[in-house]
Amino acid sequence: MKEYAKGFYNSPAWKKCRLGYMKSKSFMCERCGGVAYIVHHKKHISPQNVHDANITLSWSNLEALCQ
């Protein structure tokens, strides 16, 4: 995990968003249908957008994935 993103990934807002998104996808990988373990940001988080909720917390930017 990048240093600039640690605060975000440890935040209550991200934890709530991540869990809600995973539940909405029934913990299934959106690519293969297997068990999802991670929530991936389609547009990667950067130092410039780490505080932009439209990027970091928007379900349209998320994808449930297996390992």
Side-chain angles (χ1 to χ4, degrees):
M1 176 182 323
K2 306 272 186 191
E3 192 63 37
Y4 63 82
K6 283 184 179 180
F8 167 72
Y9 283 118
N10 290 316
S11 72
W14 169 245
K15 291 176 182 180
K16 181 179 178 182
C17 178
R18 180 192 180 283
L19 181 59
Y21 187 77
M22 289 290 268
K23 284 181 178 180
S24 79
K25 300 301 176 187
S26 301
F27 291 84
M28 290 181 63
C29 177
E30 294 183 65
R31 295 187 187 176
C32 76
V35 177
Y37 295 99
I38 63 170
V39 175
H40 169 70
H41 285 90
K42 295 174 191 174
K43 179 173 181 170
H44 295 272
I45 293 178
S46 69
Q48 294 76 28
N49 68 22
V50 71
H51 299 292
D52 183 350
N54 293 315
I55 301 292
T56 58
L57 300 175
S58 173
W59 282 20
S60 65
N61 189 40
L62 301 179
E63 188 175 24
L65 298 177
C66 62
Q67 294 289 336

